[in-house]
Amino acid sequence: SYSRCEASTCAPAMTARDLEALPFPVSVGYSTLALNGAKGGATKYVTLQILNYARWTSQHHSCSIGTACRVMARTHLIGADGRWTPLGFFKFWRPGVTLVNETIHWGMKVPLAITLYDQFREVGLGPHTGLLAGVALSTAGEVALTGWSERFGVHLGLNKDIRSYRESLRISCKARGNALFGAWAGAGGLWVRNFAWNFAFFEWKRFLHSAVEKTPQGAPAWFCAHLDWIRGLDKKNQANILTFEAATLGTYLTFFNMAGDNVKTKMQVDPARYPSFTGTVRSIWQQHGLIGFARGSLFKGIYLILGSTIAIGIQERLSGIMAALMR
């Protein structure tokens, strides 16, 4: 049977919780989990935002890693007179709303998905169907609460001539026709990106934790040796390693994660040129082919894998709380 995840906050429970046995209100457990996720999101922004900016640049210009780095240097590190401006390095963290985005995003990702998964299991959906439905809805919640801040971050970050949030919103609303569509430009691509990664991540996380508990039949020798190594670690280090592995697999084995991200970025940085989801998809395909949907994948992979390990790893320090919530 599947472990109740003494080592993992992310693995969905396979049986109903005994709420009477909880030594604290359920809301306290989830609130604490959300708070630590928010801390992880903020840490992710402070330490890794330059990778996020590099990914946006590569996706905006549909260019290679080298070209993206040169564009970044010309934009913020080389002045109009050709001199180096090293303090421009800190402009990669502009605008500060991205900190808000990361904090809310990672604060709600795990607790909301687990809550909805649990609700769908209670009405009779199976573990995979329940997870699919729970992640689909939790991803919609992520987009609703963070889509506006994601758009501001990309639009202001890559258009240095736009000086204010008000100007950014005005440009986007004019291009898309109304305030709602303007503020949430790129929301469709954002949902595709987040849903693809979230579902793949949780499924891989569940599989890996289950494999640590009991080696799958027919597992190759290298995988058995890897599982034995993980079993020799303490529970918290096990959780961090498995989070890193699930994040890696979820990032690089889901094409729609990368494709949705490219569509989202183009719609957010240039809403006049890319006013619709389907139009943006056609434009990328016609101009760049399949590779156009995978631009920025190296930057995104490093950023997402390390970032999720940081953000969710901090949450997994609450393994005792989550073990109780998931029984």
Side-chain angles (χ1 to χ4, degrees), residues 53-82:
Y53 192 100
R55 164 189 131 219
W56 293 344
T57 302
S58 181
Q59 293 171 343
H60 171 37
H61 296 281
S62 291
C63 63
S64 64
I65 296 172
T67 301
C69 290
R70 287 193 292 272
V71 170
M72 291 169 64
R74 288 197 303 268
T75 302
H76 293 304
L77 300 178
I78 302 176
D81 57 0

Side-chain angles (χ1 to χ4, degrees), residues 79-209:
D81 57 0
R83 295 183 180 181
W84 281 97
T85 55
L87 292 180
F89 176 79
F90 295 102
K91 292 183 179 179
F92 295 129
W93 275 258
R94 174 185 179 266
V97 71
T98 302
L99 172 61
V100 176
N101 178 74
E102 294 288 355
T103 302
I104 296 174
H105 179 103
W106 289 98
M108 67 183 296
K109 180 184 289 290
V110 172
L112 182 59
I114 291 176
T115 300
L116 291 172
Y117 169 80
D118 190 46
Q119 294 297 317
F120 283 117
R121 289 302 309 277
E122 288 181 0
V123 299
L125 295 184
H128 300 290
T129 305
L131 182 61
L132 182 72
V135 168
L137 280 182
S138 67
T139 301
E142 290 177 23
V143 173
L145 290 182
T146 67
W148 63 273
S149 55
E150 177 92 13
R151 190 208 66 80
F152 273 126
V154 174
H155 198 220
L156 287 167
L158 295 183
N159 292 285
K160 66 177 184 177
D161 294 332
I162 300 176
R163 300 297 183 181
S164 69
Y165 291 98
R166 176 176 294 181
E167 182 182 1
S168 171
L169 182 59
R170 179 187 60 77
I171 291 171
S172 188
C173 291
K174 181 179 178 181
R176 303 210 70 210
N178 62 59
L180 180 62
F181 288 176
W184 271 264
L190 180 61
W191 185 89
V192 171
R193 181 197 76 178
N194 287 4
F195 171 76
W197 189 86
N198 290 347
F199 182 68
F201 171 79
F202 281 116
E203 283 286 21
W204 278 111
K205 195 84 161 72
R206 174 161 52 189
F207 169 78
L208 291 170
H209 276 282

